[in-house]
Amino acid sequence: MDITIRPPVFVTLLVCLVLLPVIGEGLGAKKEKIKVACIGDSITYGARLEDREKDSYPAQLQLLLGDNYEVANFGVGSCTLIRKGRPTVWNQLAKIRAANPDVVIISLGTNDTCGMGTCGDRKCWEYKDEYAGDYRDLIDTLKTLPSKPQISICAPSPMVLETPGLSPERIEGLTVRKPRLQELISTIKKVAKEKNVGFIDLNTPLKHKPELFTEKDGVHPNKDGYRAIARLVYDKIKD
């Protein structure tokens, strides 16, 4: 004999009516994308590329991360970290605040090696003692964003004197600036530890690899070099 107790039909209908909006909301809701802000100079911007919208490191990072992420390129040619540089990252803060990113990647320092006779009349190295303090202030400023972003700062990619086609003048300038960059990288590592933010080494993995850099340039990567940078940043984000 079947003694199974079945709920009245109206109870079943009532339960369905209660649950239907919840189920529908779950099915229709769009997952918020994780916003990534790539902050930097022309190397972040994607200089020397035929198609920077496709091949810059932030663009290639977007492909690696997939549809759950939204990568924004805040790279500006000649940009410095030092406040007294022209142009400087400090002029980009309004745009970065408006983006309210969840993840921030900063790679700055290459242009801060200019000065004292290199890069024309640009003056940055004259203020090198302000680099660490300005970096700390930048990190503190970004930490106040409503999104409370995860921040990583990078050792900038290297200056590769083995790159084919470099002029004697270019070699002379980079020979002066290269040890300056290494000095700044030491500072970046200390600031990362002090401010408890991530550190990404874009320098060591690309050293002495002229095949990853634009000929006659030696500073800006080529498409393969930008891809290598994107992979290093991707590995940090997904770590």
Side-chain angles (χ1 to χ4, degrees), residues 82-102:
I82 294 173
R83 280 186 173 95
K84 292 177 180 175
R86 294 291 182 273
T88 176
V89 67
W90 294 89
N91 296 333
Q92 301 298 309
L93 285 182
K95 294 179 181 179
I96 297 167
R97 285 194 185 99
N100 197 33
D102 304 294

Side-chain angles (χ1 to χ4, degrees), residues 11-32:
V11 173
T12 303
L13 290 174
L14 181 62
V15 171
C16 290
L17 288 172
V18 170
L19 292 178
L20 189 59
V22 177
I23 295 171
E25 182 180 350
L27 292 174
K30 291 184 178 179
K31 184 178 179 181
E32 288 290 330

Side-chain angles (χ1 to χ4, degrees), residues 184-195:
L184 292 184
I185 288 172
S186 296
T187 299
I188 292 167
K189 290 178 179 178
K190 292 175 183 176
V191 170
K193 185 175 182 180
E194 176 186 337
K195 303 305 293 184

Side-chain angles (χ1 to χ4, degrees), residues 8-235:
V9 173
F10 78 91
V11 173
T12 303
L13 290 174
L14 181 62
V15 171
C16 290
L17 288 172
V18 170
L19 292 178
L20 189 59
V22 177
I23 295 171
E25 182 180 350
L27 292 174
K30 291 184 178 179
K31 184 178 179 181
E32 288 290 330
K33 292 188 177 184
I34 299 170
K35 292 182 287 186
V36 181
C38 298
I39 301 170
D41 48 35
S42 59
I43 297 172
T44 297
Y45 176 81
R48 307 293 186 269
L49 288 168
E50 292 183 5
D51 188 353
R52 59 167 292 271
E53 296 290 342
K54 176 183 175 184
D55 296 323
S56 66
Y57 107 68
Q60 297 197 59
L61 177 64
Q62 177 70 76
L63 291 176
L64 290 171
L65 289 171
D67 292 339
N68 291 333
Y69 289 78
E70 182 179 307
V71 181
N73 188 337
F74 289 98
V76 174
S78 300
C79 195
T80 68
L81 185 135
I82 294 173
R83 280 186 173 95
K84 292 177 180 175
R86 294 291 182 273
T88 176
V89 67
W90 294 89
N91 296 333
Q92 301 298 309
L93 285 182
K95 294 179 181 179
I96 297 167
R97 285 194 185 99
N100 197 33
D102 304 294
V103 179
V104 171
I105 307 295
I106 308 171
S107 184
L108 286 165
T110 300
N111 292 300
D112 296 274
T113 65
C114 288
M116 295 186 173
T118 63
C119 311
D121 60 357
R122 298 190 67 189
K123 295 186 183 297
C124 295
W125 197 245
E126 288 82 350
Y127 311 116
K128 68 169 184 172
D129 292 341
E130 300 177 25
Y131 184 86
D134 285 352
Y135 221 144
R136 294 187 195 99
D137 290 347
L138 178 62
I139 291 169
D140 288 342
T141 300
L142 294 172
K143 283 183 175 181
T144 66
L145 293 176
S147 57
K148 304 298 180 186
Q150 171 191 317
I151 301 171
S152 291
I153 61 179
C154 303
S157 53
M159 300 170 181
V160 181
L161 274 66
E162 304 96 319
T163 304
L166 297 183
S167 67
E169 294 78 16
R170 183 69 165 169
I171 292 173
E172 182 180 0
L174 294 184
T175 299
V176 173
R177 294 171 60 197
K178 188 172 182 176
R180 294 177 182 176
L181 185 60
Q182 294 305 312
E183 183 176 333
L184 292 184
I185 288 172
S186 296
T187 299
I188 292 167
K189 290 178 179 178
K190 292 175 183 176
V191 170
K193 185 175 182 180
E194 176 186 337
K195 303 305 293 184
N196 193 30
V197 297
F199 172 75
I200 307 174
D201 186 0
L202 305 181
N203 192 275
T204 306
L206 276 68
K207 272 185 179 179
H208 308 300
K209 293 185 177 179
E211 68 275 13
L212 297 180
F213 287 81
T214 304
E215 291 190 10
K216 302 180 181 180
D217 184 296
V219 172
H220 296 90
N222 55 28
K223 184 164 63 175
D224 290 338
Y226 282 120
R227 183 180 298 116
I229 290 174
R231 171 58 67 176
L232 290 166
V233 175
Y234 169 84
D235 288 344

